[in-house]
Amino acid sequence: MAAKKFTKADMIDALYEKTGMNRLEIRNAVDIFIDEMKEALMRHQIIELRGFGTFEVKVRKARPRARNPRTGENIVIRSHGAVTFRSGRELKQAVWAINDDTPGK
């Protein structure tokens, strides 16, 4: 069974419950935070959130011969950026104990 998604709306609701701040202010703050992260990644900056993880853009090499697995058609893939995430030590340790028996799935 797939895990339940935690959406931006869920994040806003959780912040509202914990802080009691105005939902509109929370939504604006979350939107600004996400926009700042996008802009930093577009500038090829590394985003480090201590204890959580690191986001960065890595450039994938072009591949002159690739195949579309659905159609079998040969295609050319240009070099392109891809966002990568490496979890921080605290996050790794927190999720290490998760197994199939853990409630909340």
Side-chain angles (χ1 to χ4, degrees):
M1 184 165 95
K4 181 184 179 312
K5 291 182 182 179
F6 187 74
T7 65
K8 185 168 77 168
D10 294 332
M11 175 66 75
I12 291 167
D13 289 342
L15 290 171
Y16 173 75
E17 294 294 324
K18 290 181 180 180
T19 66
M21 289 175 55
N22 180 315
R23 273 195 165 91
L24 182 59
E25 290 175 354
I26 294 171
R27 179 180 304 282
N28 289 337
V30 169
D31 286 340
I32 290 168
F33 178 77
I34 291 171
D35 288 342
E36 287 298 318
M37 288 184 65
K38 286 180 191 176
E39 290 174 17
L41 291 169
M42 295 296 292
R43 293 188 302 265
H44 295 272
Q45 291 180 301
I46 296 171
I47 300 171
E48 181 180 316
L49 303 173
R50 297 271 169 130
F52 183 73
T54 304
F55 296 87
E56 72 180 292
V57 173
K58 293 193 177 183
V59 177
R60 302 281 189 227
K61 294 180 184 176
R63 291 187 289 159
R65 292 185 314 184
R67 193 162 46 102
N68 181 333
R70 183 175 292 167
T71 64
E73 173 188 7
N74 287 330
I75 56 175
V76 175
I77 299 177
R78 301 177 306 155
S79 66
H80 59 281
V83 177
T84 61
F85 174 76
R86 289 186 316 261
S87 58
R89 183 177 1 149
E90 290 176 27
L91 180 59
K92 279 183 190 175
Q93 291 172 348
V95 300
W96 181 260
I98 294 175
N99 57 42
D100 289 338
D101 299 334
T102 303
K105 281 185 125 185

